[in-house]
Amino acid sequence: MKKILLTVLYVFMSFVLFSQTKTINILPLGNVGQVELELVKTSISNFYGFKCVILKPVKLTNDLLSPSKTRYSADKILKKFNGTNHTIVITSVDITTEKNGNKEWGVFGLGYMPGNVCVVSTKRLKKGVSNETFKDRFEKVILHEIGHNLGLDHCDKNIHCMMNDAKGTSSQVDNEKIWLCGNCKNKLKK
């Protein structure tokens, strides 16, 4: 009986924690397919329980270019679209950030931690893989970046936790599951 009550309490607390009180705006930046946008919406709704709204696409502009002018700066994208609303920017162009002294470190995504905005690019996730592998990677990166917005840092407690740092490799993303380890779940509950 005690176990049943604890299970009911856990389910109720999970419902309260992940109830649809938060709305995430999905902002297509440049040319992004409807299939990708629907995957973003479904993934966030199913995993975190948030309501999602797909916004009208915004054109890519030169003020978002990285120093080489060949790729786009994830940092500039975050600054431009940061605000009081929770927003995930989705783009199909290559994005970079400054890391380890490298002015243009290619990334799958980037998000403020904690914060209201993150960006994910499909460019590197699609390269040379099946549609199924792309969708799996894309979903993990989406949920990872939303995790940062919710205050989760990179995880080193379990290699399969989706909050691991990919360190620029798709193989690490492939090792992860659409799952948060107990340590990350506890941080999220706080």
Side-chain angles (χ1 to χ4, degrees), residues 92 95 189:
S92 62
I95 59 173
K189 289 178 186 177

Side-chain angles (χ1 to χ4, degrees), residues 7-22 47-51 150 185 188-190:
T7 302
V8 170
L9 180 62
Y10 177 76
V11 170
F12 176 74
M13 293 297 289
S14 295
F15 176 76
V16 170
L17 178 66
F18 296 115
S19 66
Q20 298 221 4
T21 58
K22 189 177 289 198
F47 192 82
Y48 291 112
F50 301 145
K51 180 181 174 189
L150 296 173
K185 280 183 189 174
L188 200 57
K189 289 178 186 177
K190 293 178 184 177

Side-chain angles (χ1 to χ4, degrees), residues 16 39 44 77 105 119 159 174 180:
V16 170
L39 179 59
I44 294 169
I77 292 169
W105 179 268
V119 59
I159 194 166
D174 293 338
L180 293 173

Side-chain angles (χ1 to χ4, degrees), residues 42-102:
T42 303
S43 298
I44 294 169
S45 294
N46 288 346
F47 192 82
Y48 291 112
F50 301 145
K51 180 181 174 189
C52 294
V53 177
I54 300 173
L55 303 177
K56 290 183 179 181
V58 173
K59 290 183 179 181
L60 284 160
T61 54
N62 289 341
D63 62 314
L64 299 175
L65 285 168
S66 62
S68 71
K69 307 284 188 218
T70 59
R71 302 188 284 182
Y72 288 83
S73 168
D75 300 288
K76 290 179 182 179
I77 292 169
L78 294 181
K79 278 184 186 174
K80 184 170 185 168
F81 297 105
N82 191 26
T84 57
N85 295 323
H86 299 279
T87 303
I88 182 167
V89 179
I90 305 296
T91 189
S92 62
V93 297
D94 203 10
I95 59 173
T96 66
T97 190
E98 188 171 335
K99 185 175 180 179
N100 302 329
N102 186 339

Side-chain angles (χ1 to χ4, degrees), residues 33-171:
Q34 191 63 34
V35 171
E36 283 94 350
L37 296 173
E38 290 297 331
L39 179 59
V40 174
K41 183 177 181 178
T42 303
S43 298
I44 294 169
S45 294
N46 288 346
F47 192 82
Y48 291 112
F50 301 145
K51 180 181 174 189
C52 294
V53 177
I54 300 173
L55 303 177
K56 290 183 179 181
V58 173
K59 290 183 179 181
L60 284 160
T61 54
N62 289 341
D63 62 314
L64 299 175
L65 285 168
S66 62
S68 71
K69 307 284 188 218
T70 59
R71 302 188 284 182
Y72 288 83
S73 168
D75 300 288
K76 290 179 182 179
I77 292 169
L78 294 181
K79 278 184 186 174
K80 184 170 185 168
F81 297 105
N82 191 26
T84 57
N85 295 323
H86 299 279
T87 303
I88 182 167
V89 179
I90 305 296
T91 189
S92 62
V93 297
D94 203 10
I95 59 173
T96 66
T97 190
E98 188 171 335
K99 185 175 180 179
N100 302 329
N102 186 339
K103 297 248 184 231
E104 291 195 29
W105 179 268
V107 291
F108 304 129
L110 191 67
Y112 286 149
M113 184 191 78
N116 290 337
V117 66
C118 59
V119 59
V120 175
S121 169
T122 61
K123 180 78 171 181
R124 291 171 181 262
L125 298 170
K126 275 187 173 182
K127 194 173 182 179
V129 297
S130 69
N131 198 38
E132 185 177 314
T133 299
F134 159 68
K135 286 180 180 179
D136 183 60
R137 289 177 179 176
F138 188 43
E139 186 171 15
K140 291 172 189 174
V141 174
I142 291 161
L143 299 174
H144 174 102
E145 297 307 335
I146 293 289
H148 283 319
N149 284 171
L150 296 173
L152 294 177
D153 201 350
H154 285 141
C155 177
D156 60 2
K157 304 294 183 201
N158 188 307
I159 194 166
H160 300 296
C161 179
M162 70 182 184
M163 288 311 297
N164 269 277
D165 184 353
K167 296 182 176 134
T169 68
S170 54
S171 61

